[in-house]
Amino acid sequence: MSEYFFPKLEAIEALAPYRLRTAWSTGEVLEVDVEEVLRRFPVLSPILNVDVFATVHIGEWGNSIEWFEEELGPDNVYTWAKEQAGEVSHEMFGEWMQRNDLSLTTAAEALGISRRMVSYYRTAHKAIPRAIWLACLGWEATRPKTKTLPRTLLTAREYVVVQV
């Protein structure tokens, strides 16, 4: 994990079972619930023991969140924490680009921002503003064919008719 693309995890603390408080090089302190992930993957099931969960620590080289033999990647935990806090993650942004078959250039044109900013958002180098995410969703809903933006959106009833 490159520090250029992701914030560095500076501190971690187990709160209630399956909830972590994380501190990042960006100054952000985020809480994240990891219970769903721990239950989804059998190899992580030992961490479901409350006493084991409480032993969480940053790995020796700072590139993992560890419990004895098991670990999570801090980049994933950062993404989950952002999404659980109601923010937009770089993964959501990247999925939007992929879902709409957009390159850096075409995403920049769609949003009216620079290619560099699209790259920053996609790689988590910069936080994605709420207005940008709303623009992504609006662009996806309208899919303008020209550079002229639509003045109105279809009503819900009109949208259903068009989709059928």
Side-chain angles (χ1 to χ4, degrees):
M1 180 174 71
S2 166
E3 285 185 42
Y4 179 77
F5 295 119
F6 294 100
K8 183 169 177 48
L9 180 64
E10 295 183 337
I12 191 156
E13 172 188 7
L15 300 175
Y18 321 125
R19 192 155 189 82
L20 300 169
R21 177 177 292 129
T22 58
W24 301 90
S25 59
T26 59
E28 296 169 292
V29 176
L30 301 169
E31 291 187 14
V32 60
D33 185 331
V34 294
E35 181 176 10
E36 180 183 331
V37 174
L38 298 179
R39 293 195 186 283
R40 189 177 334 138
F41 298 102
V43 71
L44 300 175
S45 64
I47 303 170
L48 291 169
N49 177 305
V50 176
D51 294 329
V52 171
F53 188 81
T55 66
V56 68
H57 58 277
I58 297 174
E60 184 176 349
W61 301 104
N63 293 326
S64 62
I65 297 169
E66 295 183 348
W67 293 267
F68 302 113
E69 298 296 319
E70 307 305 333
E71 65 183 47
L72 296 174
D75 54 337
N76 291 329
V77 173
Y78 182 74
T79 297
W80 302 331
K82 296 289 268 187
E83 290 175 4
Q84 289 177 18
E87 297 180 36
V88 182
S89 72
H90 69 286
E91 286 186 3
M92 291 168 64
F93 189 81
E95 288 167 3
W96 171 78
M97 288 178 62
Q98 184 175 20
R99 187 170 58 244
N100 292 289
D101 196 29
L102 297 171
S103 66
L104 292 175
T105 301
T106 56
E109 289 172 0
L111 297 172
I113 61 177
S114 72
R115 189 175 185 277
R116 179 173 293 191
M117 285 307 294
V118 170
S119 177
Y120 286 157
Y121 295 153
R122 192 183 69 177
T123 59
H125 187 65
K126 295 210 181 259
I128 302 164
R130 181 179 177 88
I132 291 294
W133 182 243
L134 291 172
C136 293
L137 297 177
W139 183 91
E140 188 168 31
T142 61
R143 294 186 189 271
K145 302 292 183 229
T146 66
K147 291 193 184 246
T148 305
L149 296 175
R151 294 191 172 271
T152 61
L153 294 175
L154 297 174
T155 65
R157 190 174 307 245
E158 292 168 331
Y159 183 79
V160 170
V161 171
V162 170
Q163 297 303 313
V164 175

